Amino acid sequence: MLTEAWQLSGSVSLRPERFGALAYDFRTRRLSFLKTPTLVDVVRRLGDSPTVLDALTGAGVDASQQAAYVRALSGLATSGLLVPQHPSPSAPVSVPAASQEGP
Amino acid sequence: MTTTIQPLERPKVGRLVDEFEYGLDAPICLTWELTYACNLACVHCLSSSGRRDPRELTTAEAKALIDEFERMQIFYVNIGGGEPTIRPDFWELLDYAVEHHVGVKFSTNGFRITKERAERLAATDYVDVQISLDGATAEVNDAVRGAGTYDAAMRAMTHLQAAGMQDFKISVVCTRHNIDQLDDFKAIADRFGAQLRLTRLRPSGRGADVWGELRPLPEQQRQLYDWLVAHGEGVLTGDSFFHLSAFGEALPGLNLCGAGRVVCLVDPVGDVYACPFAIHDTFLAGNIRDLGFDRVWKESPLFLELRSPQTGGACTKCSAYDSCRGGCMAAKFFTGLPLDGPDPECVKGNGDIPLAGVAAGTRPSPSQDHSHTGPVHNQPIPLTLMPTRLTSRPDRSCDEDPLVGFAGAGAGRETADRG
Ligand code: SF4
Ligand code: SF4
């Protein structure tokens, strides 16, 4: 993934919170949590970075932490929050909405 | 809850669930009841709905509130009522929300989901529909929701499916009469390409009047828990049943009371409550007409208090405290129990003794009631004896309890158990 170009999906909005950010995908109605401010920074940089590595470096992630961040980003990619910068058509994701719902 | 929780560095912040206890800048789960008006008179209505409140927010006020939601990045709201589709501007507000990037899931009894409406809904992104159904058969459903309501729900679901609406929700309030129907509900959901959602009957609104007769029996709580464990993330619960986690492994979800922290209710007149199940002056944080929603959410003394560290009372000694956390604040409040003690349906039985000790007449009375005052044409005829309000209240909450009638002894134990 390090050498690939990824970006935040167009249907996803981020809302900053003290711990990091909430990420909501309007298409899949799925709510996720970005658990650290650095991860939020990385995710925001992805779209303007030629590679994931550039985004990590730009956000000040040092080499020892790269693997952990790549794992996190892969998870976000699997759930559809991140998409390739030049997307190939992919299968639609179907999804549970977030919990803690109303009545 | 679908969480993407990253096991990365976490010096500055604690576990996510702890962060949630301190509250977020905006709610994750905001319920907005658009109207207290309803064409039905369900016996367990959490908001005691029926008649429209003349002070209801105007269309302009409702749109301004949606603008505020957008500014706060509240990604979606759960719209309910009452029956929200009764508002003449309902569809207009729905479109307005979607245009302003506020997704909507709305709850309805289905009476007004015609073929044409279903087609429009299926064509609109960002809108999800939740049909209420409290029995897998007309007999069980209509006893709670009223004559003809089962057929109306089925008709609505048929229209939604035919229109190509996928993954809409079928929402079931679990009662002692439908616990044996869980597999049937799942089959109905599968048949319609819908998602099943099970929620807890709480003694809120008119629910307080029937809670004693309708709540699942103790052995049914276990049956429900086992069913939920077996079905995992395949069934939604809105995090309703975390008090059942005390039976064993934790159920999927946050396992905390989100009231005022990540959950809140905006009612039809703009009052903001800590939770849709806590419509009572005690949990009223303010009104959007006075302060705007943002300020009520961020600054109300009530919410700030709910976000401060809470004591678990007697529950902190319990081995299940980490996942159960003493259960539901609203359930405790409306049964007259202390908020820092066990849930009235504590699976370890610790709610029974305090419940027996709640002196007759000390349960909080509702601070508002919009129930129909006259007969409704499809009035529910309960399977069990229909209670009359006021008269038989005090003992009903504990009619399963062997200590009923020994209120004095119970009260003593309750005091001793606290703290
Ligand atoms: S009061 Fe009960 S229903 Fe409301 S958020 Fe807390 S646990 Fe959930
Ligand atoms: S004692 Fe409290 S924490 Fe333990 S199971 Fe009962 S309600 Fe839950």
Side-chain angles (χ1 to χ4, degrees):
Chain A
M1 193 183 207
L2 268 184
T3 57
E4 295 166 7
W6 287 77
Q7 64 185 5
L8 193 62
S9 159
S11 59
V12 174
S13 283
L14 296 184
R15 181 173 103 202
E17 287 286 350
R18 202 181 81 97
F19 61 83
L22 298 179
Y24 185 68
D25 190 333
F26 282 95
R27 189 173 55 89
T28 62
R29 301 191 203 109
R30 184 178 183 135
L31 186 67
S32 303
F33 304 100
L34 305 187
K35 246 214 103 176
T36 71
T38 310
L39 182 60
V40 180
D41 192 18
V42 172
V43 164
R44 287 197 195 279
R45 285 167 184 271
L46 281 177
D48 296 324
S49 305
T51 68
V52 168
L53 181 59
D54 289 300
L56 290 173
T57 312
V61 175
D62 63 44
S64 67
Q65 288 195 307
Q66 270 177 18
Y69 274 88
V70 167
R71 268 200 306 281
L73 295 173
S74 305
L76 297 177
T78 307
S79 52
L81 269 86
L82 302 182
V83 293
Q85 282 185 18
H86 303 290
S88 54
S90 61
V93 198
S94 107
V95 208
S99 104
Q100 285 273 341
E101 294 164 272
Chain B
M1 165 83 53
T2 309
T3 50
T4 308
I5 300 170
Q6 311 303 338
L8 297 173
E9 63 195 12
R10 53 173 66 161
K12 292 178 219 75
V13 288
R15 291 186 307 160
L16 206 50
V17 62
D18 299 328
E19 284 299 311
F20 287 174
E21 289 200 339
Y22 290 113
L24 300 182
D25 287 349
I28 293 180
C29 170
L30 185 146
T31 299
W32 181 14
E33 320 245 77
L34 279 186
T35 180
Y36 282 120
C38 191
N39 50 329
L40 302 182
C42 302
V43 296
H44 60 339
C45 179
L46 78 161
S47 53
S48 298
S49 286
R51 289 168 295 127
R52 182 179 171 276
D53 192 303
R55 298 164 301 159
E56 207 165 79
L57 298 182
T58 63
T59 305
E61 286 174 315
K63 286 185 175 172
L65 184 56
I66 292 169
D67 292 340
E68 199 171 11
F69 292 159
E70 183 183 25
R71 282 197 299 278
M72 291 175 76
Q73 281 196 283
I74 293 173
F75 302 124
Y76 65 92
V77 294
N78 304 298
I79 286 186
E83 171 56 39
T85 61
I86 282 187
R87 263 189 78 125
D89 57 3
F90 173 74
W91 304 99
E92 180 185 345
L93 293 177
L94 199 65
D95 289 341
Y96 189 84
V98 169
E99 282 160 24
H100 289 258
H101 310 104
V102 177
V104 170
K105 181 183 79 175
F106 75 90
S107 296
T108 175
N109 53 41
F111 272 85
R112 288 166 181 241
I113 307 297
T114 59
K115 181 169 171 292
E116 293 71 30
R117 286 297 178 203
E119 281 162 5
R120 259 188 76 186
L121 288 168
T124 316
D125 279 347
Y126 302 1
V127 176
D128 200 1
V129 186
Q130 174 166 297
I131 307 283
S132 303
L133 188 73
D134 294 332
T137 53
E139 189 203 6
V140 172
N141 179 79
D142 292 7
V144 170
R145 307 188 54 80
T149 57
Y150 181 85
D151 291 342
M154 290 293 152
R155 228 173 8 249
M157 295 194 284
T158 305
H159 291 322
L160 289 169
Q161 183 183 33
M165 183 93 186
Q166 279 169 3
D167 281 337
F168 67 88
K169 313 292 180 282
I170 299 177
S171 192
V172 175
V173 176
C174 293
T175 67
R176 97 178 36 164
H177 302 299
N178 67 24
I179 290 288
D180 285 332
Q181 300 185 318
L182 296 178
D183 287 333
D184 305 327
F185 283 119
K186 184 78 175 75
I188 293 174
D190 291 346
R191 179 150 55 89
F192 285 105
Q195 266 191 306
L196 181 60
R197 181 166 182 273
L198 301 177
T199 62
R200 178 178 179 189
L201 174 70
R202 296 164 179 101
S204 311
R206 286 196 294 272
D209 299 343
V210 293
W211 186 75
E213 290 90 23
L214 287 186
R215 67 183 173 123
L217 297 165
E219 62 273 18
Q220 291 180 319
Q221 303 278 8
R222 178 76 214 203
Q223 190 183 339
L224 172 61
Y225 170 78
D226 290 340
W227 198 92
L228 290 172
V229 169
H231 288 80
E233 306 247 4
V235 59
L236 304 172
T237 64
D239 233 1
S240 274
F241 297 110
F242 63 91
H243 67 299
L244 299 183
S245 291
F247 276 128
E249 69 179 275
L251 296 165
L254 285 178
N255 292 321
L256 98 151
C257 169
R261 297 158 162 169
V262 297
V263 171
C264 77
L265 167 77
V266 180
D267 93 337
V269 303
D271 280 339
V272 182
Y273 293 93
C275 163
F277 294 94
I279 301 183
H280 191 277
D281 289 347
T282 308
F283 303 109
L284 177 58
N287 190 290
I288 62 147
R289 281 176 165 139
D290 307 330
L291 291 176
F293 176 73
D294 193 36
R295 287 194 58 193
V296 173
W297 175 260
K298 291 191 177 123
E299 296 170 19
S300 96
L302 171 75
F303 284 179
L304 295 181
E305 193 196 321
L306 288 172
R307 292 165 198 165
S308 67
Q310 308 281 311
T311 55
C315 287
T316 36
K317 290 188 283 218
C318 173
S319 57
Y321 184 66
D322 243 15
S323 51
C324 169
R325 293 179 173 250
C328 171
M329 179 183 80
K332 291 187 254 202
F333 179 79
F334 287 113
T335 49
L337 296 183
L339 299 188
D340 66 350
D343 188 285
E345 294 181 297
C346 164
V347 304
K348 300 204 182 280
N350 293 330
D352 298 347
I353 292 166
L355 202 53
V358 173
T362 59
R363 283 170 46 191
S365 44
S367 12
Q368 58 100 343
D369 187 352
H370 291 81
S371 300
H372 291 289
T373 46
V376 177
H377 76 282
N378 47 8
Q379 192 90 28
I381 301 163
L383 292 173
T384 50
L385 212 60
M386 177 69 181
T388 46
R389 291 181 77 86
L390 303 172
T391 50
S392 53
R393 262 189 156 190
D395 269 354
R396 252 181 300 117
S397 59
C398 27
D399 60 0
E400 245 62 61
D401 195 300
L403 291 182
V404 158
F406 294 90
R413 290 285 294 280
E414 185 240 338
T415 314
D417 271 354
R418 237 194 288 181

